[in-house]
Amino acid sequence: GGLIAYEMARQLRQAGHQVARLALIDSYTPAALAAQEQHFLTSHSRAADDHASLLLTFAQELRLSRPLALASILGTSADTLDARLQRLLTAARHDGLLPADSDDELWQRQSAMLGANLAAMARYIPPAYDGRVLQVQTGQASHGSGSGWTPLLKGTVQRIDIAGDHYSILTHPDIAQLADAVRDYFDEDKGCIT
């Protein structure tokens, strides 16, 4: 979502429209995400392959975090994507993250859609942005530097670090901290929509 909001704001400003504020909520540039993925793979003695990014992202989306399960899911690059995806779904069901009777075809379609999104994201090279930005990051990125945005944000930037992770900030109790940060930012100019 952050990349889309960023590019929309950039294009609007480029076309001469006013964008009062942009909020990037736990958002990462494609380069920063690739670096995180490479770090994970290296720390688990795995080589990157065409499907590693998709499988790791899908596992994160399902909130599957057991290192042994992730290592098993990744398998080797010789394993087919279907075999690796089946291991991911089995591990998610085992951990109670998916219903035991969930439809494999649905998850295969979800995987294909996620793969298309990741491919588009990998091709995107964000240009600099000179507008006002609220950058909210979780503990996963320290003061915005790990998110990849720092060299691209040329305007006024307010950075806020909040507790939680990419997913927990949308649930109780972490969402209260996120809501406060966003409300305070937008309350500075009542009525602004970005």
Side-chain angles (χ1 to χ4, degrees):
L3 286 178
I4 293 169
Y6 182 86
E7 183 59 19
M8 286 174 59
R10 192 195 68 75
Q11 286 186 27
L12 284 167
R13 286 180 65 86
Q14 186 177 28
H17 299 282
Q18 180 183 4
V19 177
R21 294 168 189 260
L22 168 65
L24 296 173
I25 300 173
D26 203 42
S27 177
Y28 298 81
T29 64
L33 287 173
Q36 288 177 5
E37 173 190 309
Q38 188 57 49
H39 173 74
F40 177 87
L41 292 170
T42 301
S43 68
H44 289 83
S45 301
R46 300 282 184 209
D49 62 63
D50 291 343
H51 303 297
S53 177
L54 170 64
L55 293 163
L56 288 173
T57 303
F58 204 25
Q60 283 181 318
E61 294 289 324
L62 292 173
R63 305 221 42 179
L64 182 67
S65 59
R66 290 183 294 121
L68 288 177
L70 292 174
S72 169
I73 289 161
L74 290 175
T76 69
S77 59
D79 293 339
T80 67
L81 175 59
D82 285 343
R84 296 161 96 184
L85 181 58
Q86 193 57 51
R87 287 195 297 267
L88 186 151
L89 295 174
T90 299
R93 286 182 184 114
H94 178 267
D95 288 2
L97 303 171
L98 289 177
D101 61 350
S102 62
D103 181 7
D104 283 358
E105 282 187 38
L106 168 70
W107 295 110
Q108 287 171 342
R109 288 191 304 275
Q110 289 287 98
S111 171
M113 183 174 57
L114 180 59
N117 288 343
L118 290 172
M121 200 168 71
R123 290 188 303 270
Y124 177 67
I125 301 170
Y129 181 76
D130 64 352
R132 293 180 70 180
V133 177
L134 170 65
Q135 185 182 18
V136 179
Q137 290 299 146
T138 65
Q140 295 174 343
S142 173
H143 303 291
S145 61
S147 68
W149 291 114
T150 300
L152 299 171
L153 301 177
K154 305 298 184 188
T156 303
V157 179
Q158 180 181 347
R159 289 186 177 90
I160 298 175
D161 292 325
I162 62 173
D165 63 36
H166 189 72
Y167 301 97
S168 72
I169 62 172
L170 299 177
T171 60
H172 180 73
D174 296 336
I175 195 167
Q177 192 177 6
L178 174 62
D180 289 343
V182 171
R183 182 180 46 251
D184 291 347
Y185 179 67
F186 286 103
D187 275 352
E188 289 177 21
D189 292 330
K190 290 280 187 188
C192 288
I193 298 175
T194 62

